[in-house]
Amino acid sequence: ASDSGRRCLHNLAECTLRARRPPAAGSMWNGMYFLQSFRNSTGVSAPGEMDEEKDLISSLAYGDDGKFLAAGDRGGRITVLQQNAERPRTGAAKYHIVTQFQSHDCEFDYLRSAEIPEVINSMSWLKSVNNSQFLLSTNDKTIKLWRLRQRRMFMDAEESFDESNYNDMQTDSQESGWMGRPQAPPPVEEEHDINNVQLPSLAADGFQPVATATQTYLHGHAYHINSVSVCNDMETFISGCDLRVNIWHLEHPLKTFQLVDLKPPAMSELSEVITGAAAHPTHGNIVGYATSRGIVNIVDTRMRARGDAGDAAMTFKHPLDANLDQYDAEILSSVCDFSFSPGSGGLGGGGGNGSLLLARDFLTMKLYDMRKAPPISPNTRGSDTAVKVLPVQTHLQPRLHTLIEQELVFERFECTMSPCGNRMATGCFSDIVCVYNDAGAVKDDVKADPPAAQPSDEYNWQECQRFRATSNRSGRVQDVRRHEPQSEISCRVSSAQWSPDGATVAFTTANRLFLYDVSR
């Protein structure tokens, strides 16, 4: 290609990188507040630097009081953010990074000859104790309990130790010694008193956040762990993998009780897998888990110690979409995430204390009322109809067959509810966040993308596009396509969490963390 063509190719790539570059931290538009971009353990992105897979955020969790926010990435790191002391009178609270630590490392399973990635799949906060915060995190095989506290740091006091005299003493001793070996010290004269010897002293130098792993829970699951959730008593927690749900005690990392087991006698008879598990926010005896068949089962340990598919206390399942093929409808009905209502309110103020259940599949969010669960069998209670069915990412319906072939319908999208239970939020493809009210109407439909930067006038975009079109046969178009903006399928909002104060929704896309002000 000519020099002008190469110059245009370089200018086109540079302009595209400028458009894709994340906004400055603290920028705000349409109620959207850009908080942080995690790249190589910092929030600074170098010009021309592409997103790395290990920097992509995979999990998000709020503390019980909303003062702390944890973000886990695919590199096994956890970044903890704390709410600013000076909170604005109106609008969303701002956060700042407190610490970042390596929670999990890449391991190798020698029995199965498989690599265990360090991706943080799920996190859950415990209540703070003695000014210390506790956080549960897990990858595919290992669960860890972390303690975060402020450790007092000390430094040498400047007035108590003369470094110049120490250096002179070291130099004299090395010169007088043989091969750098100091000679014996001279005898102490009588006028020298041992009480006059000055020893270095330490002075307080503020506090520094420190993360320490207090417990490690191993060998509890034979399959990939997808969720971890702390129970209401703050002494036990549950963990869910593809086929089992276990309950643990925080003080006994070597003992676990198998609450749910869906593994059939022969793996060829396997018909469903567990996609998520969560403990009830107010009742320690209730645990829920969702399956790939679009079913959410509720286990009540007061009724049965085990809660397998046929032993669940309550079962919730909405009928399949009649407008779709049977095969496509079964695949699209798989529940990728569900959550209980965390507080009081909801449905006109009547549904609180975890009585509402929100389940998310690929095209809809379904809201169930656990108090209005008619019996669907003599031994099991449940509901075969959702109270509300909220459509999500309907613009992808014409492309369902392509998405099923590419297995993109199995992507995980988290759903969350406000503390009062009257609003719901979830993420979608194309970096879109959908917020619904209690009537089921879309209250906000926001795109996690700042206003696009306009290209500079000094670049001839028509000439660049013409050069790109004529370079297809030479293969040099690969350099331009690598820097093109992401399509509506490759970018998505995977994690979404509602703050305990109900003012903001935190969500992530790629390696960027946003806060959306829902109180405006």
Side-chain angles (χ1 to χ4, degrees):
S2 60
D3 294 339
S4 62
R6 293 192 182 95
R7 184 170 59 256
C8 290
L9 178 63
H10 174 73
N11 294 341
L12 176 62
E14 184 177 354
C15 285
T16 310
L17 280 174
R18 288 182 180 179
R20 287 192 58 205
R21 191 172 301 169
S27 59
M28 191 170 184
W29 68 97
N30 297 333
M32 193 76 65
Y33 177 76
F34 175 67
L35 188 60
Q36 188 68 32
S37 175
F38 302 97
R39 187 192 298 269
N40 297 331
S41 304
T42 63
V44 180
S45 57
E49 186 179 3
M50 305 298 292
D51 294 341
E52 297 184 6
E53 184 179 1
K54 65 179 181 180
D55 297 326
L56 303 181
I57 302 176
S58 58
S59 181
L60 201 63
Y62 264 110
D64 58 343
D65 54 359
K67 294 182 179 179
F68 290 92
L69 176 63
D73 57 22
R74 300 184 66 86
R77 299 183 299 261
I78 294 180
T79 304
V80 179
L81 301 96
Q82 186 177 7
Q83 192 177 100
N84 294 346
E86 298 180 358
R87 180 173 179 176
R89 296 181 179 179
T90 58
K94 304 301 186 295
Y95 288 78
H96 63 277
I97 294 180
V98 176
T99 183
Q100 185 183 73
F101 59 93
Q102 188 72 28
S103 175
H104 291 76
D105 295 316
C106 184
E107 301 176 358
F108 189 80
D109 190 351
Y110 294 95
L111 295 178
R112 294 177 174 84
S113 297
E115 188 179 56
I116 303 175
E118 62 271 26
V119 182
I120 304 297
N121 294 331
S122 179
M123 297 182 298
S124 183
W125 287 90
L126 284 79
K127 290 186 177 180
S128 59
V129 178
N130 296 332
N131 295 326
S132 296
Q133 285 73 36
F134 294 89
L135 177 67
L136 278 171
S137 65
T138 180
N139 64 349
D140 287 347
K141 294 295 182 182
T142 306
I143 306 173
K144 292 184 179 181
L145 175 63
W146 292 91
R147 178 190 180 190
L148 286 76
R149 61 188 179 92
Q150 297 287 339
R151 177 185 294 176
R152 184 183 293 274
M153 306 303 294
F154 297 91
M155 62 177 299
D156 295 337
E158 298 178 356
E159 66 277 1
S160 64
F161 185 69
D162 192 352
E163 187 176 357
S164 60
N165 295 338
Y166 176 77
N167 294 334
D168 295 341
M169 185 184 303
Q170 289 292 101
T171 303
D172 296 340
S173 62
Q174 292 179 2
E175 292 178 353
S176 59
W178 178 75
M179 294 295 292
R181 186 176 180 181
Q183 295 180 348
V188 181
E189 299 181 0
E190 295 181 358
E191 63 269 21
H192 293 163
D193 190 2
I194 194 172
N195 296 326
N196 296 330
V197 177
Q198 295 184 359
L199 298 177
S201 61
L202 298 177
D205 188 25
F207 294 87
Q208 180 178 354
V210 177
T212 307
T214 59
Q215 296 286 2
T216 302
Y217 307 89
L218 297 169
H219 312 300
H221 292 275
Y223 305 95
H224 299 313
I225 302 175
N226 51 42
S227 56
V228 61
S229 179
V230 179
C231 297
N232 174 264
D233 55 6
M234 293 297 163
E235 294 182 356
T236 57
F237 69 93
I238 65 169
S239 59
C241 67
D242 295 337
L243 294 179
R244 295 185 177 96
V245 176
N246 294 346
I247 184 169
W248 304 74
H249 194 280
L250 292 172
E251 300 297 333
H252 301 281
L254 301 179
K255 298 180 180 179
T256 181
F257 178 75
Q258 202 170 94
L259 194 63
V260 178
D261 187 6
L262 299 184
K263 184 178 180 180
M267 293 301 293
S268 59
E269 302 175 0
L270 183 64
S271 60
E272 60 180 342
V273 295
I274 297 174
T275 58
H280 198 274
T282 58
H283 300 281
N285 56 286
I286 297 179
V287 174
Y289 68 94
T291 68
S292 59
R293 296 178 59 186
I295 301 174
V296 180
N297 293 318
I298 304 299
V299 180
D300 191 349
T301 55
R302 297 174 301 179
M303 299 175 59
R304 295 182 180 89
R306 299 287 297 270
D308 297 341
D311 298 331
M314 302 176 69
T315 301
F316 297 92
K317 179 178 174 57
H318 193 75
L320 299 177
D321 191 353
N323 298 325
L324 299 175
D325 297 337
Q326 181 72 17
Y327 176 76
D328 296 344
E330 291 179 356
I331 293 179
L332 297 175
S333 65
S334 175
V335 178
C336 58
D337 186 45
F338 78 99
S339 61
F340 296 99
S341 57
S344 60
L347 291 179
N353 299 325
S355 59
L356 299 179
L357 179 66
L358 183 65
R360 166 70 198 271
D361 55 33
F362 187 75
L363 291 178
T364 62
M365 279 199 309
K366 299 178 177 65
L367 183 65
Y368 299 96
D369 193 349
M370 299 175 61
R371 302 164 303 177
K372 300 177 182 180
I376 59 177
S377 68
N379 299 325
T380 306
R381 287 173 52 85
S383 177
D384 56 355
T385 304
V387 178
K388 297 288 183 181
V389 178
L390 311 176
V392 180
Q393 53 190 9
T394 55
H395 63 284
L396 297 178
Q397 288 185 353
R399 307 174 58 182
L400 287 179
H401 292 287
T402 304
L403 297 175
I404 292 175
E405 292 177 357
Q406 298 177 356
E407 297 183 353
L408 293 176
V409 295
F410 302 106
E411 295 289 342
R412 180 181 177 89
F413 295 96
E414 293 184 358
C415 59
T416 180
M417 301 182 66
S418 62
C420 56
N422 58 359
R423 286 181 293 181
M424 293 73 69
T426 186
C428 309
F429 280 113
S430 307
D431 285 347
I432 295 178
V433 178
C434 296
V435 181
Y436 300 84
N437 56 17
D438 53 357
V442 180
K443 181 180 181 295
D444 296 301
D445 194 354
V446 188
K447 186 175 180 60
D449 189 11
Q454 297 297 330
S456 177
D457 296 336
E458 60 179 332
Y459 298 141
N460 190 343
W461 281 81
Q462 294 180 356
E463 184 179 356
C464 292
Q465 293 289 346
R466 183 169 60 254
F467 172 76
R468 196 178 84 177
T470 58
S471 301
N472 289 336
R473 288 177 292 181
S474 62
R476 294 191 180 94
V477 73
Q478 184 69 21
D479 295 334
V480 178
R481 288 180 178 178
R482 185 166 55 90
H483 301 293
E484 285 184 350
Q486 293 180 344
S487 64
E488 61 178 6
I489 300 300
S490 59
C491 51
R492 62 187 178 94
V493 175
S494 57
S495 301
Q497 291 292 327
W498 212 297
S499 62
D501 59 2
T504 59
V505 178
F507 60 92
T508 62
T509 169
N511 64 334
R512 296 182 292 275
L513 176 60
F514 294 85
L515 294 179
Y516 179 60
D517 185 6
V518 296
S519 62
R520 63 186 182 90

